[in-house]
Amino acid sequence: MRRPSDNAALAYALERANELGLPCVVYESLRPDYPFASDRFHTFVLEGARDMATGLEARGVTHAFFLPKTRDEARGMVAKMMARAAMVVSDDYPTFIIAAHNAHSAARAACAYIVVDDCAGVPMALFPKEEYGARTIRPKIHKVKDAWLLPLHEPKPKIDPLTPKRLALPFDGVDFEKADVAKLVAACEIDHTVQAVAELPGGAVAANKRLDAFLAHKLTGYAVDRNEPTRDATSHLSPYLHFGMVSARRVALAARAWADERNAADVAEPFLEQLLVRRGLAYNFAARNPRHTTYDAIPAWAKATLDEHRRDPREVTVTLAQLTDARSPDEVWNAAQLELRTRGVVHNYMRMLWGKLPLTWMKEPRDVFDALVHLNDRFALDGRDPNTYASIAWCFGIHDRPWPERAIFGKIRCMTSRSARSKLDLVGYLAEARSWRDDL
Ligand SMILES: Cc1cc2nc3c(=O)[nH]c(=O)nc-3n(C[C@H](O)[C@H](O)[C@H](O)COP(=O)(O)OP(=O)(O)OC[C@H]3O[C@@H](n4cnc5c(N)ncnc54)[C@H](O)[C@@H]3O)c2cc1C
């Protein structure tokens, strides 16, 4: 998790280092060859690393950041670093490349390799089976949350941090006091066509500012306004939660403290439902369903009904390239795609519509699923997350129920841009989207 405090893996590593009488070194690396590596993600992570460097220095913990520019340069560094460790502590994260990376590294480590389960609000390990839906996991989360949503004990290191010379790193670490993030990103062999999002700077400092602003100005109206894309009523914390720049624990504790001060538990509850229950359900899905990134993860009833409607006529067909360029036949869908491409995030209601409509333009539901995963993973700052795959799978029936049968959608919950236009005030959103096209 990319935060210098309130970080359970770091707290655990510090405790063990203190017991062993050894220094604790936080090693971060950002390779150029992870799927969809781009200016957008590299910038966000490097901005976050600056906060890591400052925050860890203040705590007296050594920080080393390796930024290989090419795939060749990147090869073998984890093994070299592990060879010098008495113990390795990592985060338990159920998807993208992290789960496989942990398994691979643990198999090769000559020392203990520990993963800490601290990404989901309450630990994923408490729910060993794949949950059927929010209604099955909700009571379980509510039962344990008070035992887990507690401020973290922050151990102090007993051993002084190592100087860069004593550390004798097998690479030139990034010096974040002098680093020019844009120049570093430009030097990496990554996709430079997916640009950084200036209004969403990465890092724990920006995450905590966003949390404070949400509590001060928006939580009061969250329950009523969260579905309106033009009201800016949500926290915008998902990219920061994804990269671990703020913990779900800290966000939940802050929302609860806000509610306690105002005797307003019912006002905070809808937000905590999304943060702990819906997000927790997604983490459970990713941790317990090995096929969670694929169409094969959707329930049998959903597959059967989509299959029955595969031959239903589509008025228009679109390709992945047209979807990528926001050139579908639907203006509202295009607006959501433009938001994703230029801002790296999409409002939740628009995102549901974004996930549903392509079924009406592509024959194979499996192709639609893959296209959505591709677009979200490529452009979303909060993508490549358990929420990504659970939410896309939700558009195809997971954690949902059969609905009255319709053309193309079968018994999958249907959404149309016509109903969105009638329910929501989209005039401002669509006007803004026109300016996003100019930013492409
Ligand atoms: C097709 C589709 C794709 C999605 N892809 C992603 C994704 O890649 N990454 C991602 O984090 N979310 C994804 N979501 C879920 C949701 O849209 C975002 O979490 C939310 O819009 C983030 O905005 P926010 O931080 O302002 O949320 P807020 O409303 O302020 O909520 C706070 C936090 O609660 C969690 N949360 C909110 N809504 C949901 C939800 N419906 N399901 C699970 N957790 C939720 C998020 O962590 C969010 O940051 C997707 C939804 C759909 C329908």
Side-chain angles (χ1 to χ4, degrees):
M1 298 289 112
R2 298 181 185 272
R3 54 181 182 267
S5 58
D6 183 40
N7 182 329
L10 175 59
Y12 179 79
L14 274 165
E15 275 173 11
R16 295 289 83 81
N18 286 344
E19 277 169 18
L20 293 167
L22 290 170
C24 171
V25 176
V26 174
Y27 168 66
E28 284 191 278
S29 169
L30 183 62
R31 293 176 62 123
D33 55 348
Y34 61 89
F36 302 108
S38 68
D39 286 19
R40 181 163 296 173
F41 308 133
H42 258 53
T43 303
F44 199 77
V45 171
L46 286 168
E47 287 167 346
R50 179 169 277 154
D51 291 351
M52 283 292 275
T54 317
L56 290 172
E57 191 185 351
R59 288 190 71 180
V61 178
T62 308
H63 178 233
F65 195 101
F66 176 43
L67 183 68
K69 312 287 187 303
T70 64
R71 175 190 282 248
D72 282 348
E73 215 186 305
R75 224 166 257 146
M77 194 56 77
V78 171
K80 281 187 200 159
M81 291 300 284
M82 283 201 310
R84 304 165 66 190
M87 173 180 273
V88 178
V89 180
S90 180
D91 293 298
D92 191 4
Y93 190 78
T95 196
F96 195 50
I97 50 175
I98 322 265
H101 171 80
N102 275 333
H104 179 88
S105 299
R108 277 154 191 79
C111 59
Y113 191 105
I114 310 286
V115 290
V116 176
D117 182 351
D118 185 38
C119 55
V122 298
M124 295 178 289
L126 296 176
F127 315 115
K129 293 202 178 114
E130 185 179 350
E131 294 289 335
Y132 186 77
R135 71 181 166 76
T136 64
I137 203 171
R138 186 179 295 112
K140 296 176 187 168
I141 290 178
H142 283 305
K143 198 169 164 197
V144 296
K145 67 180 192 245
D146 288 347
W148 289 95
L149 294 177
L150 299 168
L152 205 65
H153 166 63
E154 302 278 14
K156 289 194 172 59
K158 286 191 183 151
I159 309 291
D160 285 343
L162 294 176
T163 58
K165 199 171 163 202
R166 278 210 45 220
L167 197 54
L169 292 169
F171 56 87
D172 290 328
V174 178
D175 176 353
F176 282 97
E177 265 180 34
K178 297 187 192 130
D180 177 334
V181 167
K183 274 196 188 145
L184 290 176
V185 170
C188 293
E189 280 184 5
I190 55 176
D191 180 355
H192 296 298
T193 65
V194 180
Q195 284 157 9
V197 181
E199 63 262 33
L200 270 178
V205 172
N208 285 305
K209 264 194 203 155
R210 228 156 244 266
L211 172 59
D212 291 347
F214 174 68
L215 296 174
H217 307 295
K218 299 196 220 164
L219 182 50
T220 312
Y222 181 84
V224 176
D225 291 336
R226 61 178 285 264
N227 275 334
E228 276 288 349
T230 47
R231 297 235 174 106
D232 190 18
T234 68
S235 69
H236 302 291
L237 283 171
S238 55
Y240 302 96
L241 286 163
H242 168 69
F243 284 102
M245 291 165 181
V246 68
S247 71
R249 170 180 50 250
R250 175 166 288 181
V251 177
L253 284 173
R256 271 185 169 186
W258 179 97
D260 288 348
E261 272 168 30
R262 291 161 182 79
N263 202 12
D266 53 330
V267 179
E269 195 45 41
F271 176 69
L272 292 170
E273 161 77 10
Q274 299 304 320
L275 179 74
L276 298 176
V277 176
R278 297 283 161 178
R279 185 171 180 273
L281 180 63
Y283 276 72
N284 167 268
F285 173 62
R288 305 293 165 233
N289 190 326
R291 297 177 298 180
H292 64 271
T293 60
T294 71
Y295 184 74
D296 294 324
I298 73 167
W301 68 263
K303 253 185 233 161
T305 193
L306 287 169
D307 209 35
E308 275 169 31
H309 288 270
R310 269 171 62 225
R311 299 235 164 94
D312 291 359
R314 271 78 173 160
E315 281 175 21
V316 196
T317 54
V318 296
T319 61
L320 176 60
Q322 286 166 315
L323 292 180
T324 305
D325 291 340
R327 300 215 178 270
S328 84
D330 189 285
E331 186 192 8
V332 181
W333 191 91
N334 291 343
Q337 172 63 13
L338 287 168
E339 188 178 14
L340 177 65
R341 269 197 72 165
T342 58
R343 301 179 69 192
V345 283
V346 187
H347 185 274
N348 184 52
Y349 194 95
M350 301 312 297
R351 222 163 182 174
M352 293 194 277
L353 200 63
W354 175 88
K356 292 280 186 182
L357 290 191
L359 269 173
T360 63
W361 312 314
M362 283 174 140
K363 234 193 179 113
E364 294 296 335
R366 184 180 290 277
D367 292 346
V368 179
F369 192 101
D370 291 346
L372 293 171
V373 167
H374 172 93
L375 293 173
N376 204 82
D377 278 356
R378 181 166 179 216
F379 295 112
L381 268 169
D382 61 8
R384 307 153 314 284
D385 187 274
N387 270 355
T388 309
Y389 310 114
S391 301
I392 290 174
W394 174 85
C395 295
F396 291 74
I398 201 138
H399 304 150
D400 204 1
R401 62 175 171 84
W403 288 72
E405 196 153 359
R406 306 270 288 256
I408 297 178
F409 287 91
K411 292 177 186 155
I412 299 284
R413 183 196 296 248
C414 167
M415 287 178 78
T416 64
S417 58
R418 194 155 41 122
S419 76
R421 279 180 197 266
S422 68
K423 275 191 209 149
L424 306 172
D425 174 14
L426 289 181
V427 178
Y429 184 74
L430 294 175
E432 205 176 352
R434 280 176 219 119
S435 71
W436 296 331
R437 193 174 285 287
D438 300 335
D439 296 339
L440 282 189

